């Protein structure tokens, strides 16, 4: 009977050992999955870091463009300058006529004096 008991104990021990072996295999598979995920997480981190750096660069570029645009003339400024030049060209003959008339008046006054 002792041998029968030893056989049963051995069977129980082998069953427990087999359960431990299966559990270790499952844990090994989970560990492999975690290690695979670690690489993907590192890649994702690198991509996110690169995207953040690019976003910072773009933000700096936007600020530079805004600063440069402040120095540029607006549409209203351009229209005002065009109207000023048009008025100058339109009224130039009138001012020349007034200038010539004044010159003639002054010359006649100086010559007759």
């Amino acid at each position: 009977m002792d041998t029968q008991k030893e056989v049963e104990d051995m069977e129980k021990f082998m069953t427990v050992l087999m359960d431990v072996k299966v559990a270790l295999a499952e844990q090994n598979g989970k560990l492999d999955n975690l290690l695979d995920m670690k690489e993907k997480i590192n890649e994702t981190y690198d991509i996110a870091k690169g995207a953040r750096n690019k976003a910072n660069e773009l933000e700096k570029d936007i600020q530079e463009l805004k600063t440069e645009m402040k120095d540029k003339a607006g549409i209203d400024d351009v229209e005002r300058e065009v109207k000023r030049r048009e008025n100058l060209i339109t009224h130039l003959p009138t001012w020349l006529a007034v200038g010539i008339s004044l010159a003639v008046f002054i010359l006649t006054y100086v010559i007759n004096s």
Side-chain angles (χ1 to χ4, degrees), residues 81-103:
E81 183 63 22
V82 168
K83 286 180 183 177
R84 186 187 69 79
R85 288 185 183 187
E86 286 175 352
N87 287 337
L88 180 66
I89 291 170
T90 303
H91 299 300
L92 184 63
T94 306
W95 286 108
L96 284 175
V98 169
I100 292 170
S101 298
L102 282 173

Side-chain angles (χ1 to χ4, degrees), residues 6 19 33 56 60 82 99 103:
E6 288 177 7
D19 289 344
N33 286 341
N56 289 339
K60 287 178 186 176
V82 168

Side-chain angles (χ1 to χ4, degrees), residues 26-97:
E26 289 175 357
Q27 293 299 322
N28 194 20
K30 290 178 183 179
L31 182 61
D32 288 343
N33 286 341
L34 284 176
L35 292 175
D36 290 343
M37 288 175 70
K38 181 181 177 185
E39 286 181 30
K40 290 178 184 177
I41 289 171
N42 286 338
E43 288 175 17
T44 305
Y45 174 77
D46 292 341
I47 291 169
K49 189 176 176 182
R52 185 184 65 212
N53 291 340
K54 186 65 175 175
N56 289 339
E57 289 176 19
L58 290 174
E59 186 64 33
K60 287 178 186 176
D61 291 344
I62 288 170
Q63 292 302 323
E64 288 176 9
L65 286 174
K66 283 182 179 179
T67 303
E68 289 175 7
M69 290 302 291
K70 287 179 184 177
D71 297 337
K72 304 289 181 189
I75 293 174
D76 294 336
D77 296 333
V78 172
E79 288 177 354
R80 192 176 315 117
E81 183 63 22
V82 168
K83 286 180 183 177
R84 186 187 69 79
R85 288 185 183 187
E86 286 175 352
N87 287 337
L88 180 66
I89 291 170
T90 303
H91 299 300
L92 184 63
T94 306
W95 286 108
L96 284 175

